[in-house]
Amino acid sequence: AQDWRGIAAWLGLTALTELPHGRHGYRAAVIQGNVTLLYNGSASMGVCVEVSGKGCRQLEEAGRVVQWGEFIREAYGRGARFSRLDIAFDEKAGILDLYSMKAAHLSGQTVSHFRAFQTIETYSTGEGGGNSAAVTLVFGSSKSNTLIRAYDKAKEQGQEGHWIRVEVQTRNGNAKALVAAAVQHGEGVFVQYLAGLLDFKEEGQHSDKSRWETASWWAAFLGTVEKLRLSIQRHKPSMERLWGWF
């Protein structure tokens, strides 16, 4: 349906500003904070809702979203089609080390669905003249429908302390399938999906790496996010970006 006003009301958006033009084939758009509604495309395009990471926080702070699993189920029930869904898992207990993850992967101690892997290092100069490096690990290709990023969120935000973020980005059919699974089985599928995509292993004797034991630190990380995902008060919600067509 092209009823963008009804969707805006459902999202609790009451102070929308019209943009000078649309995008993605839509001729018109309105925005409130970090939530954008695109409309006036072809009859089959419906209305596109773009919610960035900050937009997720915006909907939480406004009280529109208390539990992301429920929100996804409600949107799905209204006929939403998801073309992209990014899941973010935050680790602040000192479990993950990016350089150890890189070394493990390069030494063949992972079972992964991805062929492509790259390391991106970004350097910045501090006040004392020293260089500080921020590393991002990317499993998968930017052209694929699924990839994983792991990076130092604390450095990105200019904060002290340990904060590693592991993101799973899904698009097109993979996003739709993941949403459908979450609606049917609950948010636990997000952790299961990550574990199925990438598994760090303790080197074993068996010729089949999939039979090696999962590395204790990776198992600890997966167990931590499995618990924290249930509490929006204790942990940032796992959905980082939602794109949907209504």
Side-chain angles (χ1 to χ4, degrees), residues 16-39:
L16 288 158
T17 300
E18 187 173 351
L19 294 175
H21 52 76
R23 55 182 179 269
H24 307 319
Y26 294 89
R27 293 185 291 273
V30 290
I31 189 170
Q32 182 174 324
N34 294 282
V35 180
T36 305
L37 306 185
L38 304 167
Y39 62 97

Side-chain angles (χ1 to χ4, degrees), residues 85-223:
L85 181 67
D86 293 0
I87 313 298
F89 302 95
D90 289 337
E91 192 279 294
K92 298 183 179 181
I95 298 171
L96 298 181
D97 178 83
L98 294 172
Y99 291 99
S100 296
M101 292 171 68
K102 175 185 175 182
H105 185 67
L106 292 179
S107 64
Q109 291 178 253
T110 55
V111 174
S112 170
H113 283 248
F114 307 108
R115 292 184 178 181
F117 172 74
Q118 64 175 319
T119 302
I120 302 171
E121 293 193 5
T122 306
Y123 294 88
S124 59
T125 303
E127 294 181 0
N131 290 327
S132 175
V135 62
T136 299
L137 309 180
V138 183
F139 300 85
S141 167
S142 60
K143 297 179 181 180
S144 67
N145 284 334
T146 301
L147 64 80
I148 294 175
R149 293 187 192 89
Y151 61 96
D152 191 326
K153 188 68 175 178
K155 282 190 176 180
E156 182 197 72
Q157 298 292 312
Q159 298 180 11
E160 297 294 328
H162 180 90
W163 180 4
I164 301 299
R165 171 165 288 182
V166 178
E167 290 180 350
V168 180
Q169 175 187 300
T170 64
R171 297 188 300 190
N172 302 322
N174 289 3
K176 294 174 184 177
L178 183 57
V179 168
V183 168
Q184 183 175 359
H185 302 292
E187 287 180 86
V189 300
F190 295 147
V191 179
Q192 295 167 15
Y193 188 62
L194 170 60
L197 290 171
L198 180 64
D199 192 10
F200 289 88
K201 296 291 191 177
E202 302 282 0
E203 188 170 359
Q205 300 299 317
H206 203 284
S207 59
D208 182 359
K209 283 198 297 185
S210 65
R211 294 177 177 266
W212 293 359
E213 292 291 328
T214 296
S216 58
W217 52 269
W218 187 244
F221 165 66
L222 294 174

